[in-house]
Amino acid sequence: MEQYFLRMQRNKEKKSMEKMGESNQCKRKLRVCVATCNRADYSKLAPIMSGIKSHPEDFELEVVVLGSHLIDDYGNTFRMIEQDDFDIGSKLHTIVRGEDEAAMVESVGLALVKLPDVIQRLKPDILVVHGDRFDALALATAAALMNIRILHLEGGEVSGTIDDSIRHAISKLAHYHACCTRMAEQHLIAMCEDHSRILLAGCPSYDKLLLSHHREDYMDIIKSWLGDKVQEGDYIVALQHPVTTDIQHSIKIYGLMLDALISFNKKTLILFPNIDAGSKEMVRVMRRKGIEQHPNFRAVKHIPFEQFIQLVSHAGCMIGNSSCGVREAGAFGTPVINLGTRQTGRETGENVLHVRDADTHNKIYHALELQFGKRYPCSKIYGDGNAVPRILKFLRSIDLDEPLQKTFCFPPVKDPISQDIDHILETQSALAVDLGGTNLRVAIVCMRGTIVKKYSQPNPKTFEARMELILKMCNDAMRDAVGLNCRILGVGVSTGGRVNPQDGVVLHSTKLIQEWSSVDLRTPISDALHLPVWVDNDGNCAALAERKFGHGKGLENFVTVITGTGIGGGIIHHNELVHGSTFCAAELGHIMVSLEGPECMCGSRGCIEAYASGMALQREAKKLHDEDLLKVEGMDMKLSEPITAAHLISAAKMGNSKADAVLTKAATALGVGIINILHIVNPSQVILSGVLASYYQAPVQHVISQRALFSVQNIKVVTSDLEEPALLGAASMVLDYATRRIY
């Protein structure tokens, strides 16, 4: 009997091993067909095609080319696909010429006639289709009816034309979605698409765009297209397409744009419109106005994407209604004028100026005057440069044994502001920078206020060395963030001195940070990291940290006072930080409590900082030490160590009356200063932060109870629980405002 069971067990193990072997043999490469219709969608699909091609162990790539790629008037752009070393499996001539509404419908029909033979021959496991073109609708329709799985790129977006209807129709046919923005993801969920089949990837073109932005030969590219005399930032890129729901109006806007550009008298690179209905009439308008012969204009049918990136990123302005203006241009901070309604509804950065009713030449000309030559913070609304690895990982996860039939989800629509950590793979985080007098610190801070990783280096003395170190440390943190599963939304900078947070400029700094006045911090950091950047004073940052993570959470009005090397702070009034008309509000350390007090570093006398700061206490400790009045019996003090405020506090605790008198005077000065604050802004709480906070809390509370008006005597003075208020405050600027859109 025992031998029987042993034999049965061996047979079972043998069958199990055979099944595992069969399973491994069955696992095969995923056959992916990528279909491209025009120059615009190829710029998004090419990085994915390269990613698929670079992993032959996992994928087989098939490329199908159709639409305007194969038309001479639009540059025969299929050649650039061949130049990129992709083997084109099928070329389908699907465009019925005419460039009107009927021709678009006939083109869809012609594509539907030709596509079944190609799909039957290629037998793909999955078809990758992009965007909102009528050609893409034909592709998705054919694949869905032939039971081929579809991955749709850039679904869920809103642009305000017939493209929306086509895009959403393709989303309904598609089995999987790779979208670019959080809002697009929420739209797909609201359209009842399955959460588990939606990937928030970012735009694939950003992978190439962010990598190739800083090319050294950009001036050669600019001159090759616009001539040797043109300078960086002194030209315009124009790209206007017809709006198929209102063709005549879009042609009128096109003519007005050309008139405005002629009057504006700047070198202009103008691209021909796409193949939509109305494009032929737009080309006629261009030729009637002599644009192709005009010395200020260079009219072209197609520019390779890598070169187009350089031209847009270094342009003085981009004008038209191309999605490139509201998407890719934001990554460079290039000013954009969006004409008409074609992109209405798309998420945009602050670089975009909308001229929806572009009904006069003067209105467009005025927009050019406002925008030309400006630079804006870099925006990553549409991607962070890691879309392709996410999409390849998503493709590998597709189970071909799953039922092909789509299922729709009908839950309540999720709140777009909320976050579901099980749904998003990455933790939304901020890069926080703290510019101290001694050390330069950078940290990765997540939404909950946890410091994921921190970096610290001595702060260099010169401006150039300091900026170089900031960028190096931020780049190191950005690289580490990928491995730590953190998605960086932006950079917050905390620094001493007077700061204009609107422009990201340090106006005047403290004496501890040399060569740090009239410094634009936002632009170089934003340009280097392609991230939005916020900058504010360290005292204000401490208040912001308390508002988001500390004792100030839920309070409408409170004051934070930093007690460290100097004295600083911030005021929160009606939930907003008070900056003042010249950005010097909340200089709490320089509230005067005596007309004849000790000299302060600001040049005045009797400031709180001159009495109660760490430097003031250190000064008094040295005086006592020099007079041999500091040390008391039992006090441990090495001869070689420098005298600090800590020695003064230690001596006072051990009964040194001189040290105690100094500290009492300091606490009284701080308390009187805080009483002045209570009488002026009447906060509901005072939060003491910094290394001296725990020592000052009780004495200050006592001074308030003795000297303040009765109405404010009961206001609590508490000690901050936050270990890194400057870093957390810098991070809170990013975490609170990175998703705000100025529209």
Side-chain angles (χ1 to χ4, degrees), residues 223-426:
K223 289 178 179 180
S224 70
W225 290 99
L226 286 158
D228 291 336
K229 294 182 180 179
V230 73
Q231 298 297 315
E232 177 184 0
D234 197 36
Y235 64 91
I236 297 169
V237 174
L239 180 52
Q240 178 92 356
H241 300 305
V243 177
T244 55
T245 50
D246 195 351
I247 294 171
Q248 291 308 312
H249 184 61
S250 64
I251 293 169
K252 178 185 174 183
I253 292 176
Y254 190 67
L256 293 171
M257 178 190 77
L258 295 178
D259 289 339
L261 288 169
I262 292 168
S263 301
F264 199 67
N265 197 30
K266 288 288 181 183
K267 277 285 186 182
T268 301
L269 180 71
I270 185 164
L271 278 81
F272 278 58
N274 64 20
I275 201 168
D276 283 351
S279 62
K280 188 178 289 185
E281 287 84 351
M282 291 176 78
V283 173
R284 288 195 190 107
V285 171
M286 183 196 298
R287 285 174 175 157
R288 275 201 305 271
K289 293 182 182 292
I291 295 300
E292 290 171 295
Q293 288 76 42
H294 197 288
N296 271 354
F297 287 83
R298 173 79 191 279
V300 297
K301 294 177 180 177
H302 169 68
I303 300 173
F305 183 67
E306 292 84 353
Q307 296 184 38
F308 188 60
I309 288 170
Q310 303 301 316
L311 291 162
V312 170
S313 67
H314 298 285
C317 181
M318 184 175 184
I319 188 169
N321 63 5
S322 168
S323 62
C324 176
V326 298
R327 295 168 67 98
E328 283 85 353
F332 313 119
T334 301
V336 171
I337 301 168
N338 183 59
L339 301 178
T341 59
R342 189 170 184 265
Q343 303 300 337
T344 298
R346 282 203 194 272
E347 295 173 80
T348 66
E350 59 183 285
N351 64 311
V352 177
L353 175 64
H354 292 281
V355 187
R356 292 182 184 82
D357 297 319
D359 49 2
T360 67
H361 153 274
N362 285 339
K363 190 180 288 186
I364 300 173
Y365 186 91
H366 186 54
L368 285 164
E369 287 184 315
L370 289 173
Q371 286 287 78
F372 186 82
K374 279 190 177 180
R375 300 312 294 181
Y376 289 90
C378 300
S379 165
K380 281 192 176 180
I381 298 171
Y382 287 94
D384 61 0
N386 296 298
V388 172
R390 294 188 186 106
I391 291 170
L392 295 183
K393 184 178 179 181
F394 190 57
L395 285 170
R396 290 187 189 98
S397 72
I398 292 174
D399 184 358
L400 298 178
D401 294 325
E402 279 186 346
L404 185 65
Q405 177 61 47
K406 275 191 72 169
T407 55
F408 298 99
C409 301
F410 299 95
V413 178
K414 290 172 65 178
D415 182 352
I417 299 171
S418 67
Q419 301 294 324
D420 179 354
I421 196 64
D422 295 323
H423 181 56
I424 57 172
L425 296 177
E426 293 134 326

Side-chain angles (χ1 to χ4, degrees), residues 37-39 67-83 97 225 271-275 300-304:
C37 311
N38 55 60
R39 66 192 181 195
S68 61
H69 273 309
L70 303 169
I71 297 178
D72 183 59
D73 284 357
Y74 295 89
N76 281 327
T77 48
F78 73 91
R79 293 196 182 101
M80 69 180 177
I81 303 173
E82 294 175 335
Q83 287 167 3
R97 301 307 299 272
W225 290 99
L271 278 81
F272 278 58
N274 64 20
I275 201 168
V300 297
K301 294 177 180 177
H302 169 68
I303 300 173

Side-chain angles (χ1 to χ4, degrees), residues 180-200:
C180 296
T181 69
R182 179 79 52 198
M183 190 179 292
E185 178 192 37
Q186 294 296 328
H187 288 162
L188 287 170
I189 292 169
M191 290 161 63
C192 304
E193 294 298 311
D194 187 344
H195 298 201
S196 66
R197 294 190 171 196
I198 302 171
L199 172 70
L200 177 55

